[in-house]
Amino acid sequence: SGISISSLFDVSDDAEATSHCGSLASLFGYIARNVAPYSAEESPFQVAVRNCSSTRGNAVYRRGKKAADSGEWEKAVYYYHIALVKQRSYYGEDHINTAETLNCLGLALLELEEFFGAITALEECLHIRQNLLGPGAEECAETTTNICRVLDGYHKQNGK
């Protein structure tokens, strides 16, 4: 009976709950209504991150989880990327929330058979979890299992 990783995401912040990152459609609608066209120096993704009011990334992380639960993997990846940018800005590079988002991102990329991105996200997740929780933590074992799933998927796809 420990604390679940998802319970560490604070959901009480009103700004998070009413974030313009509430849905992909509302996010794009908000951008279209309130943002000048992006410049050559700024991608549409950067505009979305800049205009996402989810300070800690929690609201957009939850949207990623919801999309993943519905099997909408591309949406999930999009939301997880925005959440990572926000979380790293708020918490710093190596935080337990960032590790959980990286784990979810890796699994979503695995579902899309984006093996390199999946292994990269999961290895970073494992590094953070080992440093913060210790190498014997259950979360580290979970991430290691997910890394094995990526390698297995890659080998199956490539006949090795």
Side-chain angles (χ1 to χ4, degrees), residues 50-71:
R50 181 170 42 85
N51 289 290
C52 178
S53 61
S54 178
T55 308
R56 293 170 298 190
N58 296 346
V60 71
Y61 166 82
R62 289 190 303 274
R63 287 291 177 187
K65 289 289 282 182
K66 185 176 178 181
D69 290 344
S70 299

Side-chain angles (χ1 to χ4, degrees), residues 70-149:
S70 299
E72 298 176 89
W73 302 112
E74 289 176 358
K75 247 190 213 184
V77 167
Y78 181 81
Y79 286 131
Y80 290 145
H81 274 115
I82 293 174
L84 278 173
V85 171
K86 294 296 192 168
Q87 289 168 345
R88 286 178 170 152
S89 174
Y90 187 83
Y91 297 114
E93 290 294 315
D94 295 341
H95 190 273
I96 199 67
N97 292 6
T98 306
E100 176 63 14
T101 302
L102 284 163
N103 189 66
C104 292
L105 174 62
L107 293 175
L109 289 167
L110 172 61
E111 291 294 330
L112 294 170
E113 296 184 344
E114 297 279 346
F115 299 115
F116 180 75
I119 200 83
T120 301
L122 290 168
E123 285 178 343
E124 185 177 352
C125 171
L126 181 61
H127 172 78
I128 294 169
R129 285 179 167 178
Q130 285 176 334
N131 285 341
L132 296 178
L133 305 173
E138 184 178 325
E139 293 85 353
C140 294
E142 172 194 11
T143 305
T144 302
T145 299
N146 292 337
I147 289 171
C148 290
R149 290 178 54 203

Side-chain angles (χ1 to χ4, degrees), residues 16 18-24 26-27 30 48-49 51-54 59-60 63 79 82 86:
E16 294 285 306
T18 61
S19 166
H20 289 296
C21 303
S23 72
L24 200 54
S26 69
L27 179 61
Y30 174 80
V49 170
N51 289 290
C52 178
S53 61
S54 178
V60 71
R63 287 291 177 187
Y79 286 131
I82 293 174
K86 294 296 192 168

